[in-house]
Amino acid sequence: MGADQNHDWAKIAASALDWWREAGVDTLVEDAPFDWLAAVETAAPAAFAPLAAPTAAPAPAPAALPDTREAFATWRLGEDAPEARWGGVAIAASGPADAELMVFVDCPERDDRETLLEGETGRLFDRMLAAIGRSRADTALASVCTRRPTTGRVPRDIADRLGEIARHHVALAAPIRLLAMGDAASRALLAMSVADARGRTHLINHKQGKITHVVATHHPRFLLDRPAAKAETWKDLLMLTGEIAS
């Protein structure tokens, strides 16, 4: 029985060796000792290390805005302005550079060609100025967009940049009083809708120590569509001139 058992073990061992040989193992023992556990520990992290996520290149920072009125006025209509590649006419700000009152709107009207607020919208605007003893001759008028967007609304993707530019414009002009007409102008200058901004005076403190009192109201375009809102705008204009308290 012992011989048969030895014979069986020999067959089993030979079969096992054949299996390992088929599996690609051709050396059972090497002359030099090898720490198999250490090899597994060092190889495993490399084998299962997660791939590093690709890093996106940082977006280039916007160029610094010109720090003088003259340079800014030239830049605003130049090829580096955000709206430079839009179609239509680029319309510059108007009025005295040192005007005490400044008015901001969203963009040129569809029919504007040389100045902001021409046509019927402009005639209503002129009457609003006359009601508080002002005219275009002594009022600075500017827009968040120098060209009219295709949709007639300030594009969301560059709204933040245009707001930064508008606030820089106000800082250079440093008017005593500022009227933001319409939702886009209110958001650009005050970071809030005209509905939220109306009814009180806001303050903008400039680096040179000057303070601008800001009032938000409806755009003349809105008033032409909804004449009932003129009563609200009249209160806003009286707040702007200081005739009623905010």
Side-chain angles (χ1 to χ4, degrees), residues 138-163:
D138 58 15
T139 301
L141 177 59
S143 56
V144 177
C145 301
T146 57
R147 298 173 187 265
R148 182 176 177 82
T150 304
T151 61
R153 297 178 178 272
V154 177
R156 291 184 179 181
D157 59 335
I158 61 170
D160 290 345
R161 178 59 171 169
L162 290 171

Side-chain angles (χ1 to χ4, degrees), residues 44-235:
F48 295 100
L51 295 176
T55 56
L65 297 173
D67 57 3
T68 66
R69 295 177 181 178
E70 294 77 12
F72 177 81
T74 300
W75 176 88
R76 198 66 190 88
L77 300 179
E79 60 183 12
D80 293 328
E83 319 93 316
R85 291 172 178 79
W86 297 3
V89 180
I91 299 182
S94 60
D98 58 350
E100 294 183 354
L101 173 62
M102 187 175 196
V103 178
F104 248 92
V105 295
D106 51 358
C107 61
E109 296 297 295
R110 191 180 305 276
D111 298 328
D112 290 351
R113 291 294 178 266
E114 297 181 359
T115 61
L116 295 168
L117 298 180
E118 297 179 1
E120 187 178 7
T121 304
R123 287 190 290 273
L124 176 56
F125 173 66
D126 291 338
R127 292 197 298 271
M128 293 168 66
L129 289 180
I132 58 173
R134 297 279 184 173
S135 70
R136 295 189 189 227
D138 58 15
T139 301
L141 177 59
S143 56
V144 177
C145 301
T146 57
R147 298 173 187 265
R148 182 176 177 82
T150 304
T151 61
R153 297 178 178 272
V154 177
R156 291 184 179 181
D157 59 335
I158 61 170
D160 290 345
R161 178 59 171 169
L162 290 171
E164 177 189 2
I165 294 170
R167 292 188 296 274
H168 183 74
H169 190 172
V170 173
L172 291 176
I176 295 176
R177 301 186 185 278
L178 173 63
L179 184 63
M181 304 185 76
D183 201 62
S186 180
R187 291 184 184 277
L189 299 172
L190 300 173
M192 63 180 70
S193 68
V194 69
D196 292 334
R198 282 193 62 254
R200 63 188 187 276
T201 299
H202 306 264
L203 301 180
I204 296 180
N205 297 307
H206 304 294
K207 293 180 180 179
Q208 58 270 45
K210 295 183 178 180
I211 299 176
T212 295
H213 296 73
V214 188
V215 171
T217 193
H218 303 299
H219 194 287
R221 185 193 316 119
F222 179 88
L223 298 178
L224 289 174
D225 293 335
R226 302 185 184 181
K230 290 181 179 180
E232 295 179 350
T233 298
W234 175 239
K235 292 180 181 178

